[in-house]
Structure formats: C-alpha cells, structure tokens
Amino acid sequence: MGRIVSILHYSALPVIGGVEFIIDRHSKLMREDGFDVSIIAGEGEPDILIPELKASNYKKIQEEILRGREPENFEDEVEKLKKKLIQAISSSNLLIVHNLFTMHFNLVATAALCDLAGEIKTIGWVHDISYIDPTYNLPSPAKTPLKLITSPAPGVQYVTITKYRKEKLSDFFEIEKDKIQVIPNGIDPYKLLPEEMEKTAKRLNILSYYPVVLFPSRLTKRKNFELAIEISSELQGKPLLLLSAPPDPHNPEFSSYKDELRALAEKKELPLIFLSDHCPIKKIYPFYFLGDILLISSRMEGFGLPVLEASLMRIPAAFSNIPPLKEIGKHFQSHIFFDLDENPKNIANRIMNLLNESSIVQNRKIVIRDFGWDTIYQKKIKKLL
C-alpha cells in the first residue's frame, strides 16, 4: 500500500460545486499516481461519510455563534466529532482540508480539525475566506469560535488557488507570503472531445505537441502529403502532423503510399499520426479541436471543405495557392497561401508568424501548457504528497 491521503470537505460529488469538482479531480490524479486516497465529507458520495461535516449540520450552534455568542455545548460537540475524525484519518499520512480553516459554515468541524492538525501532516487548501467577503457580514470574532478562522491553525501548511488569494490570506493571517503555496485549479484539455476520441487523443498524448498540424483528407497522392511533411518538419517547437487519413476506396496503392509517408516523416524526424489507425473514421471529425493550424498542401482540389470547417472551429490555416482553395479561402482572415514550389522552410516560418500573431492559438497554448491538470499535478501537487 502506498501513501494514504485523506481529502476533507463539507460535501463531495454528486453535490454540485466548484470545490467538489476540484477534489474529485485531485483524487483521480493521486490515485492514478499510486496513492491511496479517501474523500471524507458530510454529504454526497464520499469514500467516508461523516454527516456532522455538512455545512448545515450544527444549525443552532451556528446561529448562536453568528449572534456573537459561544454556545454552551460547543466543546462537547467538538470532542464528539474529533473521535469520528480520528477514526477516519487514523491510517492517513496526509490530510488535505478544503476551505474549513478559512470559512465559517461549520465551526464545530473547524475546531475539531484545528485540534487534530498537530497530530497529522495537514494542508489547508484555501478557495475562499469568509472574513474578507463582505457578503457574509460576520460579527467580531473576539469571543467566539469565529476566531478560529482569523488566524493560521498551528501546524497547517496553506495552499491558495491564486496569487491574489495568497496575498489576501497573507495579509489577513499576518503570515509571510513565502509560507503559502499557490496551486491553481486546472482543466482537462481533452474534455470537450467525445469519449472515444478523448481516450484516443490522451493515449497518443497529442496535446503534448506544439504546433499540432491538421491535414484532414483521404490518402491520395494529389493531396501532396510529402510537402506537408517537409513544411511541418521545419516548424519551431515540437510539431506533430496529424492526418485523418482514411483509406481511399478507389486507390489500390494506399498501403504503399502510407509506408512512403511514414518513411519520409521518420527521415525528417517528424512525429506523424494517421488518426484512422487509432479511431473509427466516423469518430474522427472532432479532431479539429486538437489542432493549432490546418495545412492543405494539395496539388488539386474539387472544393476544399476543410477550409470552411477550420474557419468554423477558429483554427488558422495555410493553403496551397491553387484556384479552389483561393476561391474559398479569400473570405477568411486567419490564413496564408503558399506556392507549391516555395521553400518549405520559408512556408514554415510564415506559419509560425501566423500562429504567434493569433491570440486564440496563444491563449490555447497557455491553457494547455500551464493549466492542464496533469501539468499542475506533476509540477505542484505531487510535491506536497
């Protein structure tokens, strides 16, 4: 058995809330990394259900506290809850508490956790702070359990989700900023894909590349994939050429042409993926979501539907300077044309300029690079564990 991590909050999914979703994602990342994780909460479907942790559990006690008084039975209830918590976390190596050290919704639970923090390594994950939010209009904490959320709990290591929240917590708790770590919330960059496509794209780790060059087409020689490989191999960064590449039912040379393209890509040291090798062709259409740029290097086209598809998906594009593509592409702004005999390195430089000037592409790049859950886990969360 690996290290055991307990994650605690007022509630867990399927109760809907931002913190609940974050906890769910954290737990999945930790489990995938070999940690034994237990979610502890007062409602929802946690691994360990302790109803007393619900934000609404101690209504009368909370009402007394918010009137500026300390309830007579407060300490008794704290001791009762501590016994349940001790049983729940007795085998844990780490306790991560979301919001209870800075929010007022269940001060019995906050008091119990403050008492236990010295007995187990504890992280206070701060999403919100009651006393800096004027909507709560809380009374003076001087003589009530509210004082528990106005100063750092002994032995607790604090994490905030933004630098702004870190600065506010530092000022409010009067602790040094370098004692508070910032770990932002993240996003799964693949999440908007249909399930089967999502699994395929994750397995191939497609979004670890930049730029991802899309060329949607059947494998026919008039599409001039050789030039697409030459251009893509000259792109800066860590390029990937992603071909939809369903077989041409009218072309008996399909397999040999595919082998030729693989050999050329290998010679150019360019990662090349034929997506139809990994996913049923009917499921491929959303692959536009994976791309940074559409590239069409065809010698001949009848119409050029991907030009419209890419524009609909807000993807910039580079097209060979042939009449059908010029006729359609002239309506759109985020594109360049190139001659079929133009130097591939020159075309690649023009493509990089187009990508660098596109705010949509650059915003997407930042999200994938800095806010993908896997990146946040490997760079920040794992170090805490």
Side-chain angles (χ1 to χ4, degrees):
M1 182 179 291
R3 282 178 63 82
I4 301 172
V5 180
S6 293
I7 303 176
L8 188 146
H9 185 50
Y10 302 113
S11 54
L13 294 179
V15 175
I16 300 299
V19 178
E20 286 80 2
F21 282 114
I22 298 303
I23 289 172
D24 181 65
R25 174 56 65 175
H26 283 186
S27 67
K28 288 178 180 176
L29 288 165
M30 292 174 195
R31 285 171 179 145
E32 288 170 1
D33 198 29
F35 290 88
D36 189 344
V37 182
S38 290
I39 297 175
I40 305 170
E43 59 181 326
E45 297 177 1
D47 301 299
I48 299 175
L49 181 67
I50 302 178
E52 290 87 346
L53 291 174
K54 278 197 303 186
S56 61
N57 188 70
Y58 300 99
K59 286 185 179 180
K60 290 184 179 180
I61 288 176
Q62 288 289 112
E63 288 171 0
E64 286 287 299
I65 294 171
L66 295 179
R67 291 192 187 103
R69 298 192 289 267
E70 182 164 354
E72 292 182 2
N73 62 336
F74 183 79
E75 292 298 335
D76 290 340
E77 294 299 331
V78 170
E79 290 302 316
K80 291 178 186 177
L81 180 54
K82 275 172 62 177
K83 291 178 181 178
K84 290 192 174 186
L85 289 172
I86 289 171
Q87 185 176 358
I89 65 174
S90 60
S91 60
S92 298
N93 303 110
L94 174 66
L95 175 63
I96 302 175
V97 178
H98 287 259
N99 262 359
L100 272 80
F101 289 121
T102 53
M103 299 299 288
H104 65 283
F105 298 133
N106 186 336
L107 290 163
V108 171
T110 297
L113 289 165
C114 286
D115 287 349
L116 294 175
E119 301 178 19
I120 179 174
K121 181 180 177 182
T122 303
I123 295 172
W125 211 286
V126 178
H127 304 261
D128 306 286
I129 305 170
S130 288
Y131 265 104
I132 67 170
D133 188 336
T135 59
Y136 293 124
N137 193 28
L138 298 177
S140 170
K143 297 181 180 180
T144 75
L146 283 165
K147 62 182 176 290
L148 294 168
I149 60 171
T150 62
S151 60
V156 173
Q157 178 182 351
Y158 285 91
V159 171
T160 63
I161 57 175
T162 61
K163 290 181 180 178
Y164 173 78
R165 184 64 81 218
K166 171 181 176 175
E167 291 169 0
K168 290 295 183 181
L169 184 66
S170 173
D171 292 342
F172 182 63
F173 274 0
E174 296 182 347
I175 56 177
E176 296 175 8
K177 290 183 175 65
D178 61 8
K179 292 184 177 179
I180 304 170
Q181 185 173 347
V182 176
I183 300 181
N185 295 337
I187 190 169
D188 181 351
Y190 297 96
K191 198 61 184 176
L192 296 180
L193 291 168
E195 184 177 0
E196 189 166 355
M197 189 70 179
E198 178 185 354
K199 290 179 180 177
T200 300
K202 281 184 175 179
R203 178 168 50 80
L204 297 173
N205 205 16
I206 288 174
L207 294 183
S208 67
Y209 296 90
Y210 177 83
V212 176
V213 181
L214 302 182
F215 196 154
S217 175
R218 290 180 298 160
L219 276 189
T220 59
K221 292 196 173 184
R222 66 182 174 85
K223 297 294 182 178
N224 197 16
F225 290 104
E226 294 88 346
L227 179 56
I229 291 172
E230 296 275 356
I231 295 168
S232 299
S233 69
E234 296 287 353
L235 292 171
Q236 299 169 23
K238 185 184 174 184
L240 166 70
L241 180 56
L242 186 61
L243 308 180
S244 57
D248 186 346
H250 311 293
N251 182 8
E253 298 179 351
F254 169 76
S255 295
S256 60
Y257 185 41
K258 198 171 183 179
D259 291 339
E260 290 172 18
L261 295 176
R262 281 201 180 100
L264 178 60
E266 186 174 345
K267 179 181 177 182
K268 294 291 181 178
E269 298 182 346
L270 173 72
L272 171 64
I273 292 177
F274 296 94
L275 202 55
S276 58
D277 289 349
H278 304 275
C279 190
I281 192 62
K282 291 182 180 179
K283 306 288 185 180
I284 280 179
Y285 189 78
F287 94 139
Y288 279 98
F289 176 78
L290 297 168
D292 297 298
I293 189 160
L294 170 72
L295 173 61
I296 300 180
S297 54
S298 302
R299 296 188 186 92
M300 296 174 59
E301 285 286 349
F303 182 79
L305 189 60
V307 177
L308 304 183
E309 294 170 339
S311 296
L312 191 64
M313 296 297 289
R314 301 180 177 88
I315 300 173
F319 309 127
S320 55
N321 196 12
I322 59 176
L325 298 182
K326 286 181 66 176
E327 181 179 338
I328 303 172
K330 68 183 180 182
H331 300 289
F332 308 106
Q333 294 182 353
S334 296
H335 71 270
I336 60 170
F337 289 103
F338 55 86
D339 293 327
L340 291 172
D341 59 356
E342 187 174 344
N343 186 296
K345 187 174 182 64
N346 183 55
I347 300 170
N349 288 337
R350 292 171 59 205
I351 287 175
M352 290 308 304
N353 289 336
L354 180 64
L355 292 173
N356 291 335
E357 291 170 2
S358 170
S359 60
I360 291 176
V361 171
Q362 293 306 309
N363 290 344
R364 165 190 165 88
K365 182 180 177 183
I366 291 169
V367 169
I368 293 171
R369 182 191 67 203
D370 297 341
F371 293 94
W373 268 127
D374 287 339
T375 299
I376 290 172
Y377 179 77
Q378 291 297 332
K379 289 186 176 180
K380 295 181 178 291
I381 296 176
K382 189 170 182 175
K383 294 177 181 178
L384 295 175
L385 307 182

